[in-house]
Structure formats: C-alpha cells, structure tokens
Amino acid sequence: MKSLKKKDIRIAIIGCGNIAHFHVKAFQKLGIKILHCASSLNSKTIYSFAKLYQIENIWNDPLKLAKASNLWDGLILSSKTESIPKLLDILITQKKPILVEKPVDIGTSYLKKLKNVDHSQVQVAFNRRFYPNIREVKDFIENSKSKILVKMIIPEKVMNVKNKLKRFRHVFENSAHGIDLLYFLFKELKIINISKVSLNSFDSSRIAILKTKKNHKCVLFINSNSPDNFSIEIEDGQKRILLKPFENLEYYEGLEKIDPTKSYPLRRYSPQLIVSKNIFNFKKKFNNLKPGFYEQSSSFIDLIINKKRNNSASLRDAYNVQSLIEKIMLS
C-alpha cells in the first residue's frame, strides 16, 4: 500500500462550535484543508462555518459523514459532549484516525467500555499536553533525583443543585484538563485521602492527596467558584516551578534577601525568580493559534501517516481522568 503524503491528506470535521474554529485554523497553518464538514442534524450554522473556511462539502447528517470514511483519512470530532458517544461508536468501526474533543463524555458510564481496548487510531484533544512549558515541567520531574511535591489548584464553577453530576459538570468537562496533565506528568495516580469542603453552605469543594508510582505526592485543591487561576506548583526541596495559569512558567531557586527601607523597615526574604516566561515566548510563529493546537494537529497528522501516537492522549487516558474525578467528587 502506497504511503499517504501530507499534501494529500483528506480531513473532515463534525461540529462547528467555538472549539472547531481553533482546530480548522491549526490544520490550515499546517497547509491542510478541511474537505468535509457537518454539525447537528440539518444544522443552519454549518453553512456559514463552511463558507468562512472554504470547506467544499457540507453534510446535513453527521452520522452519514461519520460512515463515509472512504472520503476522508482523518476526522475531527468536536461536536457537543452529549453527541460524542453515538458518533464515536460509529467512527471507531471505520478504523481510521479520529481526533475527538475532551472529555469525550461526562463520567465513566460510556468510557469504561472502551478502556481495555487499544483504540490506537483515536487521539483525545487534551491540547495542554502539547504546551512547551508542560514539556519543561515533565523534564524537571524526570531529571529530579529526589521526591517531588505537587500542589494543583483547580478553581471551577460549581452549581448548587441536587444531582452531583450536574453540580460538578464543569469539573468533569473543563477541570479534566488539569487532571489529564497530572496523568501525563506522572502516568499513575492513587488516592490517599479525600476531604469534602462545604463552601456557600453546600457540598462544593474537595481537597485530595494523591501519590504516584514513584511515591511523589500531590495535593489537589478543587475550589468551587474561586476567584483564582488554574495552577500547578512543583518542587523537589531546592527548586520550584510554578505554572499559574498553565500558560505561564516561573522557575524559583533559593531566597533573595531584601534589606529594610524607610518605607518598609523590616528585612524580607523573597523566593528568587530565575526564569519567567509565558507560552508565547516559546514559538512566536504560532501566536495567532490557540496554544497547543498546532502541535496537537501535527501529532494527529503523524498518527494518520506514521501510526505514531507521540504525546497525545488515548481513550484509556480519558477514562482515567473521568474515573479519578468521579472518585474525588462523587464520594
């Protein structure tokens, strides 16, 4: 069989919401056109989406596009979370590469049937895995000769409703990014302790202590409706890396002595900042794209051509994320 060349790759997309625009722009930057698109059944908005990105073929039925795998080499599934399981079931049978938006589904009821099968052709779109600063953090962890202490803060919108899946939906859907990063950095996570915290007079927050296979420790704060940023803080007893939010990286080592002044007559010691940079300092060429999307799309092309997964997330990874969130939030 003749190997597929990048310029000949045929990409289709299902879904035309906000996240779909980021996907299309990333593939265009790679020099790859989207040839087919669909959204919900008989969607009206799909026409303006197709016109904007000059997509030639519009499908009124997403199920028919999913089944027409003879017309595409890879498909981006970025429709609403509720629609993904039905479409993904069809797409998996086509045995062609699929880039499916995270979290794939809310909870594990759907994902558990996929966790033990090697669906190597499916890539889950946890784009923060592809941040260059996350790569630096991973290198820091892998090169450290001592134990690692991690603190992750996940401020998330939580609703005061009785049904816990609805109450914590944003944790399952959005905070999944942070949990996936922990799995990406440490591979395995085991829960040591979970504490429920009631803020605003209802069960809304969690503090969890986790450990890795190498016995590194992680303290996870899921703070409901907190005016804070997502953050990861990692230290080995001498050095500390802070990502707050995930797009910014600060590297500290040692303390800086600040002598008293007239305006502040006390001696102070401040963490000594060695490096400070944000994600756009790494590759300015891609400043007009959503961070991580160029690398994520490149990885998907590599999956199509060379059958290589690189750093992309699998359906098993998506299951692990939802399973951990269930254990922490629904306990």
Side-chain angles (χ1 to χ4, degrees), residues 94-105:
Q94 306 304 301
K95 301 187 184 304
K96 284 198 172 180
I98 306 301
L99 176 59
V100 56
E101 258 305 323
K102 60 83 190 169
V104 181
D105 195 26

Side-chain angles (χ1 to χ4, degrees), residues 107 157 236 253:
K157 182 179 179 181
D236 64 0
E253 186 172 0

Side-chain angles (χ1 to χ4, degrees), residues 121-136:
Q121 80 278 22
V122 181
Q123 176 179 332
V124 182
F126 282 109
N127 63 294
R128 284 167 177 79
R129 284 183 171 220
F130 294 94
Y131 282 12
N133 50 2
I134 296 298
R135 182 69 254 179
E136 284 202 14

Side-chain angles (χ1 to χ4, degrees), residues 18 108 166 181 241:
N18 290 336
T108 61
K166 290 182 179 178
L181 285 181
I241 290 180

Side-chain angles (χ1 to χ4, degrees), residues 230-245:
F230 282 76
S231 66
I232 310 174
E233 195 168 355
I234 298 174
E235 52 185 295
D236 64 0
Q238 290 184 314
K239 303 165 190 171
R240 180 164 65 99
I241 290 180
L242 173 65
L243 274 65
K244 186 174 184 177

Side-chain angles (χ1 to χ4, degrees), residues 101-271:
E101 258 305 323
K102 60 83 190 169
V104 181
D105 195 26
I106 303 298
T108 61
S109 58
Y110 170 69
L111 283 163
K112 64 185 177 184
K113 75 174 185 179
L114 304 173
K115 66 174 181 173
N116 293 322
V117 181
D118 182 24
H119 295 292
S120 58
Q121 80 278 22
V122 181
Q123 176 179 332
V124 182
F126 282 109
N127 63 294
R128 284 167 177 79
R129 284 183 171 220
F130 294 94
Y131 282 12
N133 50 2
I134 296 298
R135 182 69 254 179
E136 284 202 14
V137 171
K138 193 169 179 67
D139 290 342
F140 175 82
I141 292 167
E142 291 175 353
N143 294 329
S144 178
K145 295 179 181 178
S146 65
K147 297 300 178 192
I148 299 289
L149 178 62
V150 183
K151 180 172 74 174
M152 177 175 277
I153 294 177
I154 300 180
E156 194 55 88
K157 182 179 179 181
V158 175
M159 297 174 285
N160 189 359
V161 295
K162 186 174 273 189
N163 184 291
K164 281 192 175 183
L165 269 179
K166 290 182 179 178
R167 185 189 312 169
F168 298 122
R169 180 185 173 91
H170 293 283
V171 179
F172 283 96
E173 192 161 33
N174 190 44
S175 301
H177 267 302
I179 304 300
D180 177 68
L181 285 181
L182 287 179
Y183 273 109
F184 178 61
L185 293 171
F186 297 104
K187 295 183 181 177
E188 293 184 24
L189 298 168
K190 183 179 179 181
I191 297 171
I192 298 175
N193 183 264
I194 302 169
S195 292
K196 293 183 181 181
V197 181
S198 292
L199 299 175
N200 294 318
S201 302
F202 75 102
D203 172 28
S204 58
S205 304
R206 297 289 185 274
I207 301 171
I209 301 175
L210 315 172
K211 74 173 182 178
T212 73
K213 191 174 182 179
K214 293 186 177 180
N215 213 30
H216 302 312
K217 298 296 192 301
C218 174
V219 183
L220 175 64
F221 295 85
I222 299 178
N223 300 340
S224 64
N225 308 312
S226 173
D228 202 352
N229 291 120
F230 282 76
S231 66
I232 310 174
E233 195 168 355
I234 298 174
E235 52 185 295
D236 64 0
Q238 290 184 314
K239 303 165 190 171
R240 180 164 65 99
I241 290 180
L242 173 65
L243 274 65
K244 186 174 184 177
F246 294 156
E247 290 74 19
N248 293 335
L249 182 148
E250 293 179 346
Y251 174 72
Y252 295 89
E253 186 172 0
L255 293 172
E256 177 186 6
K257 185 174 76 170
I258 304 172
D259 290 324
T261 63
K262 285 185 178 180
S263 61
Y264 198 95
L266 293 174
R267 181 175 288 109
R268 289 170 287 161
Y269 293 88
S270 178

